[in-house]
Amino acid sequence: MLRLSNNLIGILNFLTFLLSVPILWAGIWLHRRGITECEKFLDTPLIVLGVFLLLVSLAGLVGACFRNSCLLWIYLVVMFLLILVLFFFTVFAFVVTNKGAGEVLSGKGYKEYRLGDYSHWLQKRVNSTKNWSKIKSCLMDGKVCQSLVDQGVNTTLEQFSKENLSSIKSGCCKPSNDCNFAYVSPTNWTATTTSSYNNTDCTLWSNDPSVLCYNCQSCKAGLLDNIKHDWKKVAVINIIFLVVLVIVYSIGCCAFRNNREDNFMWK
């Protein structure tokens, strides 16, 4: 007779199995239909995650419902490793996002972002030409600056200065405040001096809507600031997820013990 713990593990893994199907389908769909570099960047992680959830949930489901101790043991080992990985990732996320913040500007509604303020590990990731090429493609495909482009000359400098821009828009869609460019529109600025700039981003700025400051250090810093806040949210969610996983793992251990006892009784 199956015990309560076996039934719970069976139900939980059946739900996980159902979840893995749309994730796997989305990865395969992006692999076949993805056109942009951004879409292609997402297909492999989705396929790997979908296959992983599919196999693990099947192992737990079959192991619990059919009292297969070998499959349930494999399931518990994978679950234990997953708990360890999530625990270390959560600690790592808090460590690498501990540094960095936007610089408040007097009379401005937005902040300035500098790459050197963030952790060296994060800086190394975005300074990689290969990584940044894919990230930039995603930013451009997402049209993060489109709202500023659409405003055109209808927005005055005073109005623009009061804009509460996101970190990515502030870093990628306008020149640095250090450049002292003359304002024409939110995405159109004119250089006022021919002397050298202290900030290298000033020479990288372009009024071309497809270029703007996507190659600037400030754009990378704005992205990292966004990642920093997102990772902290993910880390908090991970803590909750870890608690759930530990509970599920405990139930799985009970189911494994039940299987061994049932198999011993049959002998």
Side-chain angles (χ1 to χ4, degrees), residues 103-120:
E103 178 187 350
V104 178
L105 300 175
S106 177
K108 306 288 185 181
Y110 50 80
K111 298 178 181 179
E112 289 273 281
Y113 299 88
R114 304 185 188 282
L115 188 60
D117 294 339
Y118 296 86
S119 73
H120 293 296

Side-chain angles (χ1 to χ4, degrees), residues 30-71:
L30 282 176
H31 181 73
R32 291 183 175 180
R33 301 290 184 88
I35 299 175
T36 65
E37 191 69 27
C38 184
E39 291 173 333
K40 293 178 181 178
F41 182 67
L42 294 173
D43 61 0
T44 302
L46 285 176
I47 292 174
V48 171
L49 177 61
V51 171
F52 174 78
L53 290 176
L54 183 69
L55 296 177
V56 172
S57 58
L58 281 176
L61 183 62
V62 175
C65 295
F66 295 92
R67 290 178 290 180
N68 188 314
S69 296
C70 181
L71 283 177

Side-chain angles (χ1 to χ4, degrees), residues 83-262:
I83 289 171
L84 285 180
V85 169
L86 278 177
F87 173 77
F88 285 113
F89 173 77
T90 302
V91 173
F92 175 75
F94 277 116
V95 171
V96 298
T97 58
N98 191 45
K99 292 178 60 179
E103 178 187 350
V104 178
L105 300 175
S106 177
K108 306 288 185 181
Y110 50 80
K111 298 178 181 179
E112 289 273 281
Y113 299 88
R114 304 185 188 282
L115 188 60
D117 294 339
Y118 296 86
S119 73
H120 293 296
W121 187 87
L122 288 176
Q123 289 184 48
K124 188 176 180 180
R125 303 284 84 74
V126 295
N127 275 327
S128 165
T129 303
K130 182 180 179 181
N131 289 345
W132 186 247
S133 177
K134 293 179 179 180
I135 294 169
K136 185 170 67 172
S137 173
C138 290
L139 294 175
M140 295 175 71
D141 291 340
K143 298 181 178 179
V144 296
C145 298
Q146 190 60 44
S147 62
L148 295 182
V149 173
D150 293 340
Q151 288 179 19
V153 295
N154 296 322
T155 304
T156 65
L157 177 59
E158 184 180 358
Q159 290 173 327
F160 178 72
S161 297
K162 295 179 180 178
E163 289 273 0
N164 185 20
L165 301 178
S166 66
S167 58
I168 292 180
K169 283 187 177 181
S170 177
C172 305
C173 308
K174 67 169 188 63
S176 170
N177 196 57
D178 296 339
C179 303
N180 293 315
F181 287 168
Y183 175 86
V184 178
S185 73
T187 56
N188 192 338
W189 301 73
T190 304
T192 57
T193 178
T194 57
S195 60
S196 59
Y197 298 101
N198 293 326
N199 191 330
T200 56
D201 285 351
C202 299
T203 58
L204 297 174
W205 168 261
S206 171
N207 290 324
D208 184 343
S210 64
V211 180
L212 298 178
C213 220
Y214 286 120
N215 295 314
C216 298
Q217 296 288 76
S218 63
C219 188
K220 297 175 182 179
L223 175 74
L224 291 187
D225 192 79
N226 189 67
I227 289 175
K228 172 185 173 180
H229 289 93
D230 287 345
W231 272 31
K232 284 194 172 182
K233 293 176 184 177
V234 170
V236 172
I237 294 173
N238 276 351
I239 293 173
I240 299 172
F241 190 44
L242 272 171
V243 173
V244 174
L245 279 181
V246 169
I247 294 172
V248 173
Y249 181 78
S250 301
I251 297 173
C253 289
C254 293
F256 179 72
R257 185 185 61 189
N258 293 341
N259 286 356
R260 294 190 63 180
E261 290 177 355
D262 290 341

